[in-house]
Amino acid sequence: DYGVYFPVQSAACNALDEGEAFSQQLREQYKERANALCEGLGSIGWHVETPKAGMFVWAELPSGWQSKSFALQLIDSANVAVTPGIAFGPSGEGYVRIALVQDVSTLLQAVKQIKNSNILQINFLQK
């Protein structure tokens, strides 16, 4: 026999029938998370541009930091993990990528931990 396995065909039909509602719900969820995170970071002095779409926030680093050293320090001092921008090539340096995969309360907890770590008051350049 040949052809696409029936459960895969059924799932594809379901996605076509109900995909728009799911996609809209997902867009709203990520928008809510992005707004909460960026507003929270702004409230503690780290002004980050809110993305128009997507599941990541690209946050420009505070002055004096490089992405890898900032990401490592953030893990050590705030127990918050981000991806250093340099991992995406030279143009990513000066930024960290923050995934919006956690719920709003968890993202706001991360903001609180960043604030309490005082990392935003540290200003140095590690090469």
Side-chain angles (χ1 to χ4, degrees):
D1 220 357
Y2 64 92
V4 178
Y5 183 58
F6 180 73
V8 173
Q9 291 180 45
S10 180
C13 288
N14 193 29
L16 289 170
D17 289 341
E18 299 178 25
E20 183 57 35
F22 175 77
S23 293
Q24 180 61 32
Q25 177 187 3
L26 200 56
R27 285 191 298 273
E28 290 172 8
Q29 189 176 59
Y30 280 115
K31 183 177 182 177
E32 178 185 19
R33 291 173 183 180
N35 288 340
L37 177 66
C38 293
E39 288 172 14
L41 291 173
S43 76
I44 63 171
W46 188 8
H47 301 285
V48 174
E49 187 176 333
T50 305
K52 293 181 182 6
M55 61 178 285
F56 299 104
V57 169
W58 281 90
E60 188 170 2
L61 297 177
S63 178
W65 285 97
Q66 290 190 339
S67 62
K68 184 177 178 184
S69 58
F70 185 84
L72 292 172
Q73 185 63 39
L74 200 57
I75 290 171
D76 288 343
S77 63
N79 202 28
V80 172
V82 298
T83 304
I86 194 69
F88 302 94
S91 296
E93 185 55 71
Y95 295 85
V96 291
R97 189 182 80 170
I98 305 169
L100 298 170
V101 296
Q102 298 293 329
D103 61 30
V104 169
S105 64
T106 302
L107 293 170
L108 293 178
Q109 178 62 36
V111 169
K112 182 178 179 182
Q113 289 169 212
I114 292 168
K115 177 183 179 184
N116 293 339
S117 76
N118 291 318
I119 192 172
L120 299 178
Q121 280 64 51
I122 301 170
N123 186 346
F124 65 90
L125 187 63
Q126 289 186 349
K127 295 188 180 208

